[in-house]
Every structure is written in C-alpha cells, then in structure tokens.
Amino acid sequence: MQYTSMEMEDFRPRVGMAEEDLRKFNWNLLILQTILFGIGIWNLISASGAQDKSFGLYKTQLIWFAIGLCMTAVVLLFHYSLLSRLAYIIYFANIILLVLVLVAGKSTLGAKRWVGFGSLRIQPSEFMKISMVLCMAKYFESDRTVGGYGFRDLILPGLLLAVPVGLIILQPDLGTALILIFTFCSMLLFLGVRTRTLAIIGICGALAAPMVYQFGLKDYQRQRLISFVDPSSDMRGSNYNRRQSQVAIGSGQLLGKGYKKGTQSQLNFLPEHHTDFIFAVFSEEHGFMGCTILLVIYLVFLTQGLSVAYTSNDKFAMLVSLGICMIYFWHTFVNMAMVMGLLPVVGVPLPFLSYGGSALITSMLGVAILTNIANKKLMF
C-alpha cells in the first residue's frame, strides 16, 4: 500500500511522542530490582554450588524471573486504577487459595503452604501480601475520618486482616503472618490512629500473647522463642541455625572470605542457606563492606519506592505504594535481624536474594505496581 507524503507526516508525531514517553519513563525501580536479582543469582550459585553441581536452583530462579518479567509487562499495560476496581476480587480470590492450601496443599518439612498445578507449585501466602495491601488501600481510599481512627473504625479492616493471618498461621507460617500484621500496622500509623485506640490495641495484644503462645504456635515455634531468650540452650537443636548463622557472619570480618570460599555454606554447616539464611552466605563471603553496599542498594530501592508514594496524586495509589514499600522493608529488616540473632528464627525470605519462585514473583509484582504508579501519565 502506498502512502502520500501528507499521510506519512501523520505518523511522525506519534513516533516522536512514543520516543519522548520512553525517555520520560521512570526505570529506577526496575533497574534496582535487576541489580538486586543479579546479586541474588550470583550469591545463589555460590550457596547451592556444594550440593547442586548442575546449578538447578540457579536455573529455576532464572525461569521464575522470566515469568516475573512477563507479568511485569502485563501490569504495565494498564492504568493502576484498574487495581482499585479489582482489589476486593483479588483479595477474596487469594482467600480461596489459602483455604485450598489447607484442604489440598502440598506439604514440605511439616508445613502445608503450597498449591500444585501440575508440575507448578505456588505459595498463596506470598501473594496475599500484595492482595492485602490492595484491599486495605481500597477500603481506606474513600474514608474521610478526621482526628484519627478509633477502635470501632478498625473492626472491619481488622477482620479483613485476621482472616488471612489465621489461615496462614494454620499452615503454619508465622513469618508471613507477621509480615502481614507489620504491614497493616504501618499503613494504619500513616493514616493516623488515636492514642487511646493504640493503647487499647496494645493491651489486647498483651493479653492475647500468652494464649497465642500456648495454643497458636507449634512446639518447634515455641522452642525457637525459648532459644532466642536463652541463646545458650539447645545448641544442637532449635538454636543450631541461629548459632551457625552468627558464626558465618562473624567469620566474614571486614572484606569476607571470598566468592565460594565460605566454609559455613560450602561445607553445609549452615541450614537453609539458599533461602532464609542467604544473607549469612553473602556476609561470610563478602564481609562487612559487601553487606554495607547491599544495604545501601536496599536503602536506595526503598527510598525510590517511598518517593512514588509521596508524589502520588490520589489516596489509593499513595496507600498501595506505601504498603508495598513496607512489605519490602519488613522483609529485609526481619530477615537480616533473624540471621544476625537479633530476632527469633522465622521463615521470612530476603527480597530478590532468597531462592523461591512465589516470593520472587511477589517482589516483582510489587515493583511493577510501583512503576505503574510512578509512570501514571504514560499508562493507558
């Protein structure tokens, strides 16, 4: 088909606008995500090398990353306002998946956390983090409470939180349940809660703690708390992971032992060193300086995410951005504190570094949503 010169002119502004939009596109979070993932893959090769000569974990993680990139592209195709309309649907769909886990889930190491679809297994509790943030942002989006939220105002959102937390604890997965609670509380503090309400919640939490300890935790979870309070107890049992992790971090000293030269991981003294304790592997091999660089990258990543929340034009986008950033913050803080022995051992992966498909996809979806909000003027 032949075009006249005037018809050809009609195409030029559109091409120019596309190029201009591409130059204006905020790539910061996507670039930082790729950097963190690259460090994670590099570290995972070392962590799994002693037991996995074929680097199967490394290949699988790359496949999950490719799936995550495809999902990121899909999220960037539409305007984030669609998430507001679908927030409750996404939340209740995830609740159904959590129930399905308890009914027909796959068990590993005594925990039932995965749902299998053929050869594919996903962990719905990971996706619940994003679902809960979307649900809470939708609930508080149109609320105009003045002077802070009272106890009655928080009953319904509290129930919306309690349902997934209860289902996740039953799996059992205390770490993910705590991340949901911490994220929810962070969003509430940002929105504003009356001092009297905070006092009531604190008293209720203190009264409920003994019952949760006695009836809500498994024996091994209670033993982990006892070991945290008394570090010298049960050194070959519940305190073994924590102790080996501290040895790995301490032996890294200033510059580390070098890539693939960490004895705690290479000789398999450190359990779960490709998942929850991946930071200990990195610390042993790259020392204090390497950990400082990694922390700076995480700090820049969180700062970029919070800037998206700060510059958002509507309440829903602001709350979603804040909630997603809090997921990253609490994951990073709890994981590193756990590995260093500053908190009890709970199953919380380190974003983009720990091995795990569902955790990686969830982290990438969070970045995709933040990037969508940051580039709202360029979205359809």
Side-chain angles (χ1 to χ4, degrees), residues 41-57:
I41 283 292
W42 186 52
N43 198 40
L44 182 60
I45 292 174
S46 175
S48 60
Q51 67 202 43
D52 187 5
K53 298 300 182 182
S54 66
F55 298 121
L57 299 180

Side-chain angles (χ1 to χ4, degrees), residues 206-259:
L207 294 174
M211 295 184 63
V212 172
Y213 176 83
Q214 187 64 35
F215 302 106
L217 300 181
K218 301 291 184 180
D219 290 338
Y220 75 90
Q221 291 173 327
R222 287 195 290 268
Q223 189 58 47
R224 285 178 179 178
L225 292 176
I226 295 172
S227 300
F228 174 73
V229 175
D230 183 8
S232 62
S233 67
D234 199 15
M235 295 299 294
R236 295 186 178 182
S238 59
N239 233 340
Y240 179 80
N241 291 14
R242 179 170 172 267
R243 179 57 182 164
Q244 294 301 321
S245 177
Q246 289 176 317
V247 170
I249 293 174
S251 63
Q253 299 185 28
L254 182 62
L255 299 177
K257 295 179 178 178
Y259 188 59

Side-chain angles (χ1 to χ4, degrees), residues 39-257:
I39 294 173
I41 283 292
W42 186 52
N43 198 40
L44 182 60
I45 292 174
S46 175
S48 60
Q51 67 202 43
D52 187 5
K53 298 300 182 182
S54 66
F55 298 121
L57 299 180
Y58 151 77
K59 291 180 180 179
T60 304
Q61 194 76 340
L62 280 176
I63 292 173
W64 281 112
F65 185 72
I67 295 173
L69 288 178
C70 293
M71 297 179 72
T72 297
V74 172
V75 172
L76 294 178
L77 286 176
F78 57 83
H79 195 275
Y80 69 83
S81 59
L82 179 62
L83 293 174
S84 177
R85 296 193 290 271
L86 298 177
Y88 290 137
I89 296 175
I90 295 172
Y91 171 84
F92 285 110
N94 218 144
I95 291 293
I96 293 173
L97 286 176
L98 290 176
V99 173
L100 184 61
V101 167
L102 298 178
V103 175
K106 305 291 183 179
S107 297
T108 303
L109 299 176
K112 187 181 288 188
R113 302 174 184 172
W114 295 267
V115 175
F117 301 95
S119 60
L120 179 67
R121 292 201 311 172
I122 63 171
Q123 188 174 347
S125 59
E126 286 291 335
F127 301 115
M128 192 67 228
K129 299 165 189 173
I130 300 291
S131 302
M132 192 272 294
V133 167
L134 293 175
C135 179
M136 292 303 162
K138 178 64 177 178
Y139 180 85
F140 290 109
E141 177 184 18
S142 58
D143 191 86
R144 295 292 183 267
T145 300
V146 179
Y149 289 93
F151 188 79
R152 291 183 180 180
D153 301 323
L154 300 180
I155 292 178
L156 182 54
L159 290 174
L160 291 173
L161 171 71
V163 172
V165 166
L167 292 172
I168 291 171
I169 288 177
L170 290 175
Q171 294 181 0
D173 187 355
L174 181 61
T176 301
L178 288 175
I179 295 297
L180 285 177
I181 294 172
F182 292 160
T183 302
F184 174 78
C185 292
S186 299
M187 294 176 72
L188 280 187
L189 289 176
F190 176 80
L191 288 165
V193 180
R194 297 171 189 169
T195 305
R196 182 180 177 182
T197 302
L198 287 175
I200 294 174
I201 294 174
I203 293 172
C204 291
L207 294 174
M211 295 184 63
V212 172
Y213 176 83
Q214 187 64 35
F215 302 106
L217 300 181
K218 301 291 184 180
D219 290 338
Y220 75 90
Q221 291 173 327
R222 287 195 290 268
Q223 189 58 47
R224 285 178 179 178
L225 292 176
I226 295 172
S227 300
F228 174 73
V229 175
D230 183 8
S232 62
S233 67
D234 199 15
M235 295 299 294
R236 295 186 178 182
S238 59
N239 233 340
Y240 179 80
N241 291 14
R242 179 170 172 267
R243 179 57 182 164
Q244 294 301 321
S245 177
Q246 289 176 317
V247 170
I249 293 174
S251 63
Q253 299 185 28
L254 182 62
L255 299 177
K257 295 179 178 178

